[in-house]
Amino acid sequence: PIDELRERLRGAGSICVLTGAGMSAESGIATFRDALTGLWSRFDPAQLASEEGFRADPALVWGWYAARRDGVRRAAPNAGHVALGAFARRHPGRLTVVSQNVDDLHQRAGNAGTIRLHGDILEDRWLEACKRRPACDTLTATPGTPPRCAECGNFVRPGVVWFGEMLPAGALEAADAAAERCDVMLVVGTSGAVWPAAGLAGRARRGGAHVVIVNPQPSEIDDEAHTVLRGTAAQLLPALLDGL
Ligand code: APR
């Protein structure tokens, strides 16, 4: 079906690509739910990816994100990211990436307008809205612990969406619009376990898009796809997009 899909992509006025952790697996960044290697089979998400967990042990959570940040900085976009970025350069405005990933590999590969539903792991932000004037900016930082405001004790935390938290304002609306209007949706490297991101495939299908899943394993949203390609991002995205 690659050739048939290439014809569809060639004629598609609008393409939306929904990506998950599997998109970055071939860049050496661990996924969350792969057996054995997934982060959630080795770490407790409640302890490490929630506000309660951060408040309970800020140094533990800050250290875990510091290690993940190093991994992201050392990682390079893989052939899948590169194929998406090259397509976007050849066809400005035709392809929108909506990612659940908090790394910056899509942006580094050339998809500048990537919609990041779960935030940015490289961004710092305040744990609480600062209640003082001037706002928190007098930082103290003890190595291995999160920086704090010397005035009010506010913590710095990574700019990612933790379990139970709201998505960045406007991100879901923009993602919904991209899913609604696209002619083809490529769903790459996601287990479909986390909502509302997982709902975007069904949204695209109801909007009339041809939905393609790229994943070596079955996912929870396979039944939303018209076509399922059992393979990896770095193998299949170049095969689907290069030369179009
Ligand atoms: N190419 C394509 N897909 C792959 C590859 C690869 N090389 N390697 C693994 N996969 C697939 C796996 O089969 C799995 O279906 O990627 C998917 C990764 O699923 P998860 O680890 O659950 O990641 P994701 O779907 O992005 O998780 C969603 O959960 O923990 C939260 O906020 C976190 O954004 C994350 C969200």
Side-chain angles (χ1 to χ4, degrees):
I2 295 279
D3 291 343
E4 181 245 323
L5 290 175
R6 283 174 64 84
E7 281 319 299
R8 277 186 188 278
L9 288 162
R10 193 190 306 278
S14 171
I15 300 166
C16 183
V17 186
L18 172 66
T19 66
M23 180 77 228
S24 298
E26 286 152 296
S27 297
I29 296 178
T31 65
F32 295 99
R33 294 175 184 81
D34 274 320
L36 301 181
T37 58
L39 289 176
W40 301 149
S41 58
R42 295 181 280 142
F43 299 101
D44 174 6
Q47 186 184 36
L48 292 167
S50 75
E51 183 178 331
E52 298 73 29
F54 179 78
R55 287 182 183 277
D57 192 339
L60 174 75
V61 175
W62 183 254
W64 189 66
Y65 277 93
R68 287 183 61 201
R69 282 176 167 180
D70 287 349
V72 167
R73 292 192 183 99
R74 277 199 310 273
N78 61 57
H81 295 104
V82 171
L84 289 169
F87 186 95
R89 271 192 293 273
R90 293 195 301 272
H91 304 284
R94 265 182 74 195
L95 184 143
T96 301
V97 177
V98 176
S99 189
Q100 300 170 84
N101 300 337
V102 292
D103 62 52
D104 59 346
L105 296 180
H106 282 305
Q107 292 84 344
R108 282 160 55 187
N111 292 105
T114 296
I115 298 167
R116 270 194 291 200
L117 295 173
H118 296 162
D120 173 359
I121 197 168
L122 299 180
E123 177 205 348
D124 282 344
R125 63 181 166 87
W126 291 111
L127 178 64
E128 293 171 352
C130 183
K131 297 176 278 300
R132 301 171 70 101
R133 290 284 173 274
C136 301
D137 60 3
T138 51
L139 285 181
T140 64
T142 311
T145 67
R148 302 190 69 173
C149 170
E151 298 292 309
C152 75
N154 202 352
F155 280 101
V156 168
R157 52 160 287 177
V160 300
V161 176
W162 279 330
F163 287 104
E165 292 189 322
M166 302 283 289
L167 271 58
L172 187 58
E173 291 74 8
D176 259 342
E180 189 78 51
R181 75 168 171 267
C182 71
D183 303 301
V184 176
M185 174 177 269
L186 304 178
V187 179
V188 185
T190 184
S191 60
V194 170
W195 289 72
L200 291 168
R203 180 96 183 186
R205 187 184 179 116
R206 287 190 298 281
H210 186 87
V211 177
V212 182
I213 281 183
V214 173
N215 195 325
Q217 305 288 334
S219 81
E220 296 186 28
I221 49 175
D222 278 11
D223 55 7
E224 296 290 3
H226 297 96
T227 309
V228 175
L229 300 178
R230 285 284 171 251
T232 74
Q235 290 163 349
L236 288 176
L237 287 175
L240 286 169
L241 296 170
D242 285 0
L244 290 188

